[in-house]
């Protein structure tokens, strides 16, 4: 029986997200405070099969295109200067897809951590993060985890003090929001309200949960199309249920609320179930 290697793949939220402009390379310059949470997929790896095989419920491999997982594995072995062995990867999904929670990036990051454990345990974190950055902008943070400031296109990370102990309720309404469309809308208007990221950093340094929650902000909320009004309905429902603060994560549509007490968070999760997929989770520290 082939040995199987397993890693959890935690989701992320954006406590704050600002767009600083479009870069010459076509990417957008971002500034975001990111936080790992305890909603996790599970990624398993075994040697064997033919080439690279990925299995996931409801997943059909794209015709003529490599998956992000395959591209990451190939980049990993290219960095080692060796051929990639036949690999079979299985992913058990729990994090909603196309939700602004980084689930796909987290899966790739977990695979990269498995590959390092198995084939290059001496590899430095910075090297693994640079491999991840070849595949996607969120990969370095999903490899590192914890609480961090992400700059550049998202790949330049600065560790921040951890989010104080709390509960976080996530609620994803039943529709996707195309990320390219939101970036295009953000490029076409003057953003009026930007998150106070320096203030949030100071609140984290002081262990001030209310200060963090009071500074949640995401410029994408300002450019949401009218048909995405459920985002604000969920935000209002979380605040009415006792959240210290609430906002949209990433390019949405998932909305999260921060709660000090588990009881309030569990009650808020129940209240938001009619509005979408709802989860009560905890913040996680740096990944190892």
């Amino acid at each position: 029986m082939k040995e199987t290697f397993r890693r959890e793949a935690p989701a992320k939220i954006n406590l704050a997200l600002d767009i600083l402009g479009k870069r010459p390379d076509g990417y957008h310059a971002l500034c975001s405070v990111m936080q790992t949470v305890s909603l996790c997929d599970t990624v398993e790896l075994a040697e064997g099969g033919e080439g690279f095989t990925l299995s996931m419920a409801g997943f059909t491999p794209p015709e003529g295109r490599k998956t992000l997982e395959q591209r990451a594995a190939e980049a990993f072995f290219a960095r080692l200067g060796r051929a990639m062995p036949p690999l079979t990867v299985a992913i058990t999904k729990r994090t909603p897809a196309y939700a602004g929670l980084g689930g796909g990036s987290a899966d790739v990051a977990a695979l990269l951590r498995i590959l390092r454990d198995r084939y290059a345990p001496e590899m430095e974190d910075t090297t693994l993060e640079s491999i991840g950055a070849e595949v996607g902008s969120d990969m370095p943070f999903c490899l590192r985890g914890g609480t961090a400031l992400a700059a550049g296109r998202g790949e330049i990370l600065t560790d921040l003090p951890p989010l104080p102990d709390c509960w976080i309720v996530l609620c994803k309404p039943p529709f996707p929001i195309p990320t390219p469309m939101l970036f295009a809308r953000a490029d076409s208007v003057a953003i009026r309200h930007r998150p106070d990221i320096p203030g949030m950093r100071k609140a984290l340094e002081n262990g001030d949960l209310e200060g963090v929650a009071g500074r949640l902000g995401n410029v994408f909320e300002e450019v949401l199309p009218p048909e995405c009004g459920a985002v604000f309905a969920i935000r209002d429902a979380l605040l009415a249920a006792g959240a210290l603060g609430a906002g949209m994560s990433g390019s949405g549509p998932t909305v999260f609320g921060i709660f000090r007490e588990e009881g309030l968070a569990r009650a808020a999760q129940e209240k938001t179930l009619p509005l979408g997929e709802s989860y009560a989770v905890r913040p996680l520290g740096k990944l190892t």
Side-chain angles (χ1 to χ4, degrees), residues 44-122:
E44 297 177 297
L45 172 72
E47 280 194 5
E50 297 184 7
F52 186 94
T53 304
L54 175 63
S55 65
M56 183 167 52
F59 170 77
T60 301
E63 284 286 339
R65 290 191 295 119
K66 296 177 181 179
T67 62
L68 290 177
E69 287 82 1
Q70 181 173 353
R71 287 170 51 198
E74 290 177 349
F76 177 85
F77 285 102
R79 189 68 65 97
L80 295 185
R82 57 170 288 188
M84 182 177 72
L87 298 174
T88 299
V89 176
I91 299 177
T92 302
K93 290 294 292 181
R94 300 180 192 88
T95 301
Y98 309 111
L101 297 173
S105 296
D107 295 341
V108 174
L111 174 59
L112 285 171
R113 289 197 299 272
I114 294 172
L115 292 172
R116 177 174 66 175
D117 292 346
R118 176 71 178 86
Y119 299 100
E122 73 288 347

Side-chain angles (χ1 to χ4, degrees), residues 187-218:
D187 289 340
S188 67
V189 301
I191 300 295
R192 294 171 298 164
H193 304 291
R194 297 184 180 275
D196 177 12
I197 291 178
M200 180 173 285
R201 293 185 68 173
K202 180 62 69 174
L204 286 167
E205 290 168 5
N206 293 335
D208 177 8
L209 183 63
E210 283 77 6
V212 172
R215 291 175 172 82
L216 302 181
N218 184 337

Side-chain angles (χ1 to χ4, degrees), residues 11-268:
K12 62 82 183 172
I13 57 173
N14 300 83
L15 299 172
L17 194 161
D18 198 1
I19 304 170
L20 306 181
K22 200 164 186 179
R23 300 167 16 147
D25 60 7
Y27 289 99
H28 286 79
L30 305 175
C31 187
S32 180
V33 179
M34 303 178 75
Q35 174 64 53
T36 311
V37 297
S38 60
L39 178 62
C40 298
D41 295 341
T42 301
V43 178
E44 297 177 297
L45 172 72
E47 280 194 5
E50 297 184 7
F52 186 94
T53 304
L54 175 63
S55 65
M56 183 167 52
F59 170 77
T60 301
E63 284 286 339
R65 290 191 295 119
K66 296 177 181 179
T67 62
L68 290 177
E69 287 82 1
Q70 181 173 353
R71 287 170 51 198
E74 290 177 349
F76 177 85
F77 285 102
R79 189 68 65 97
L80 295 185
R82 57 170 288 188
M84 182 177 72
L87 298 174
T88 299
V89 176
I91 299 177
T92 302
K93 290 294 292 181
R94 300 180 192 88
T95 301
Y98 309 111
L101 297 173
S105 296
D107 295 341
V108 174
L111 174 59
L112 285 171
R113 289 197 299 272
I114 294 172
L115 292 172
R116 177 174 66 175
D117 292 346
R118 176 71 178 86
Y119 299 100
E122 73 288 347
M123 181 180 285
E124 298 285 345
D125 289 347
T126 53
T127 302
L128 195 66
E129 289 175 9
S130 72
I131 295 171
E134 296 177 24
V135 185
S137 299
D138 278 350
M139 304 299 178
F141 175 76
C142 289
L143 282 161
R144 184 177 300 192
T147 312
L149 180 73
R153 56 184 173 88
E155 85 286 10
I156 302 171
L157 302 177
T158 302
D159 291 334
L160 297 177
L163 183 66
D165 189 38
C166 64
W167 285 80
I168 301 168
V169 175
L170 312 173
C171 184
K172 177 194 175 294
F175 54 82
I177 302 178
T179 301
M181 179 266 286
L182 278 192
F183 272 115
R185 290 174 69 92
D187 289 340
S188 67
V189 301
I191 300 295
R192 294 171 298 164
H193 304 291
R194 297 184 180 275
D196 177 12
I197 291 178
M200 180 173 285
R201 293 185 68 173
K202 180 62 69 174
L204 286 167
E205 290 168 5
N206 293 335
D208 177 8
L209 183 63
E210 283 77 6
V212 172
R215 291 175 172 82
L216 302 181
N218 184 337
V219 295
F220 280 135
E221 292 183 16
E222 196 168 312
V223 297
L224 287 175
E227 60 268 24
C228 295
V231 166
F232 301 110
I234 295 170
R235 183 187 66 186
D236 291 345
L238 290 169
L239 291 171
L244 300 174
M248 188 174 77
S249 180
S251 57
T254 300
V255 182
F256 66 93
I258 294 178
F259 295 80
R260 186 172 286 283
E261 298 175 11
E262 179 181 0
L264 283 177
R266 298 288 185 193

